[in-house]
Amino acid sequence: MSTGETPYSLVYGIDAMIPVEVGEPSLRYSNESGQSNNENRRQNLDEAEERRDMACIRMIAQKQQAEWYYNKKAKIRPLKVGDYVLKAKTQANKDPREGKLGTNWDGPYKITAAASKGSFQLETMEGKLLPNNWNIADLKYFNFSG
């Protein structure tokens, strides 16, 4: 596991012993008998919460590292009302006669409103509103001075 612990040890505080080890006495089984076994069990139970906490800390650190790696490569594209953008063409909107050399972007469009986090309402250059809101992932900034 990525936490460095087995799921069984996180739940019960110790590693599981397989039946073969119980049937044929091994060094591990012979050392874990009698009074010392009871003391070791109490100590394992006392340490179980600490082991769970350490596993949780390692898991959180791993998630933070993955988030940092992702955000390092993510491009921040702040768009605001009044900016001009190009809209990505979907496969359904592409003209089949153009083939693979056809355009991949429609536009330009003007952003008229920010609908929700990361989505915008667009209008054509003639002032006609588009029927749907568009996600920022499908938009590209267009430097339009006209």
Side-chain angles (χ1 to χ4, degrees), residues 14-74:
I14 59 168
D15 287 326
M17 289 184 70
I18 57 175
V20 173
E21 293 178 12
V22 175
E24 294 183 18
S26 64
L27 183 61
R28 177 181 175 191
Y29 181 71
S30 61
N31 288 339
E32 296 289 332
S33 60
Q35 185 63 26
S36 65
N37 186 28
N38 292 338
E39 291 173 16
N40 287 342
R41 292 286 290 154
R42 283 191 202 97
Q43 185 177 358
N44 282 342
L45 288 174
D46 292 341
E47 293 174 356
E49 192 65 35
E50 182 179 341
R51 291 174 71 190
R52 286 187 198 112
D53 290 342
M54 292 304 292
C56 184
I57 289 170
R58 283 193 297 270
M59 193 169 59
I60 290 170
Q62 186 180 27
K63 286 180 181 179
Q64 287 175 343
Q65 185 179 12
E67 180 183 3
W68 172 81
Y69 182 76
Y70 173 79
N71 288 336
K72 180 176 79 167
K73 292 186 175 194

Side-chain angles (χ1 to χ4, degrees), residues 80-82 110-116 119-123 129 133:
K80 56 188 179 299
V81 175
K110 184 177 180 182
I111 297 176
T112 58
S116 65
S119 66
F120 299 95
Q121 191 173 22
L122 304 178
E123 73 176 18
L129 286 176
N133 296 332

